[in-house]
Amino acid sequence: MAGKPKLHYTKGRGKMESIRWLLAAAGVEFEEEFIETKEDLEKLRNDGILLFQQVPMVEIDGMKMVQTRAILSYIAAKYNLYGKDLKERAWIDMYVEGTTDLMGMIMYLPFQPADTKEKNLALIIERATTRYFPVYEKALKDHGQDYLVGNKLSWADVHLLEAILMVEECKPDVLSAFPLLQAFKGRISNIPTIKKFLQPGSQRKPPTDEKFVAVVRKIFNI
């Protein structure tokens, strides 16, 4: 039997968090090796196991995979969360790209200068409620099913729930105008593997705070 996937990243969310989410949703146990200092990162780079000198890096099935998108699509395909045909995969990809864009805005917010944070937070809420969430609300309304694609749990659903919870950390009532997304959030949160990941003590990471921002700046020299 193959060993558990091993995740190499910092102790925070960042680009690795969606990978943690997807593995957890698939019911896959994983180990984490944290990068806590600049030296930890340099060692990985010097050992030649980071294809483009960057993390996230995941050891899985004998590979040392890098590039978030490549890792996620591999996990989705391996654990049957990537649709049944090319068309379903294309829809999953489109939905995932949308949530990736939205989560990216939130991910970089703590690293921005204090004087621009308020403006950027307002932009995130505006984009979430006018550009992104209406798309998913309409998708659920149009096909009347429990999931975004193929009436079966997919990577798109897992990613959307992660995005919803991230936006709710910025504005708790953000779903007030989206009843189908509210119901979707409840359904997906109660899938046993996901419910477990949402419990305290899981490998889910907390929101990024100033202390963690300082650690990341030191490790990555930014």
Side-chain angles (χ1 to χ4, degrees):
M1 182 181 146
K4 294 176 186 174
K6 185 186 279 189
L7 282 48
H8 296 261
Y9 202 66
T10 59
K11 261 186 182 165
R13 287 184 181 176
K15 291 189 172 185
M16 186 64 92
E17 191 70 354
S18 291
I19 296 166
R20 296 182 186 111
W21 264 89
L22 197 56
L23 285 167
V28 178
E29 291 184 6
F30 57 88
E31 297 171 350
E32 299 190 82
E33 193 156 305
F34 295 116
I35 296 165
E36 299 185 73
T37 64
K38 195 190 287 190
E39 290 70 32
D40 291 343
L41 180 62
E42 283 307 310
K43 185 179 186 314
L44 283 177
R45 286 173 172 164
N46 294 336
D47 287 349
I49 55 177
L50 299 179
L51 202 57
F52 300 108
Q53 307 291 303
Q54 294 169 308
V55 289
M57 190 270 279
V58 174
E59 295 184 62
I60 184 169
D61 295 343
M63 295 184 289
K64 291 180 171 65
M65 291 195 76
V66 295
Q67 297 295 357
T68 313
R69 172 80 209 197
I71 297 165
L72 284 164
S73 53
Y74 181 85
I75 292 165
K78 179 178 170 77
Y79 294 104
N80 202 21
L81 294 166
Y82 210 175
K84 69 177 187 303
D85 55 30
L86 271 177
K87 279 190 177 174
E88 285 196 357
R89 190 166 288 203
W91 276 106
I92 289 167
D93 284 342
M94 285 192 280
Y95 289 145
V96 162
E97 289 296 330
T99 37
T100 299
D101 290 346
L102 178 57
M103 288 195 283
M105 294 172 73
I106 299 170
M107 203 183 296
Y108 293 117
L109 190 65
F111 294 88
Q112 291 165 355
D115 57 347
T116 65
K117 268 186 194 172
E118 205 168 309
K119 189 178 85 175
N120 287 318
L121 180 58
L123 180 63
I124 287 165
I125 302 307
E126 189 264 328
R127 287 276 169 85
T129 53
T130 64
R131 179 179 294 188
Y132 296 108
F133 288 171
V135 169
Y136 303 107
E137 182 82 2
K138 185 177 185 299
L140 292 166
K141 184 180 179 186
D142 286 352
H143 62 49
Q145 293 170 341
D146 287 350
Y147 304 102
L148 286 171
V149 180
N151 204 23
K152 179 178 182 295
L153 182 70
S154 77
W155 172 20
D157 301 303
V158 178
H159 222 240
L160 176 56
L161 178 61
E162 183 188 0
I164 286 170
L165 296 180
M166 282 178 78
V167 181
E168 283 186 334
E169 287 169 352
C170 301
K171 189 176 191 294
D173 66 347
V174 74
L175 290 186
S176 57
F178 302 100
L180 297 180
L181 283 180
Q182 290 176 41
F184 171 89
K185 175 192 159 189
R187 276 196 307 277
I188 306 301
S189 297
N190 275 303
I191 291 169
T193 53
I194 293 174
K195 191 173 184 177
K196 186 179 173 189
F197 188 61
L198 291 172
Q199 300 303 311
S202 80
Q203 286 164 294
R204 186 181 179 213
K205 301 298 179 270
T208 300
D209 59 16
E210 284 179 20
K211 190 179 170 191
F212 183 67
V213 167
V215 170
V216 169
R217 288 194 189 282
K218 210 168 176 184
I219 293 170
F220 294 99
N221 236 353
I222 52 174

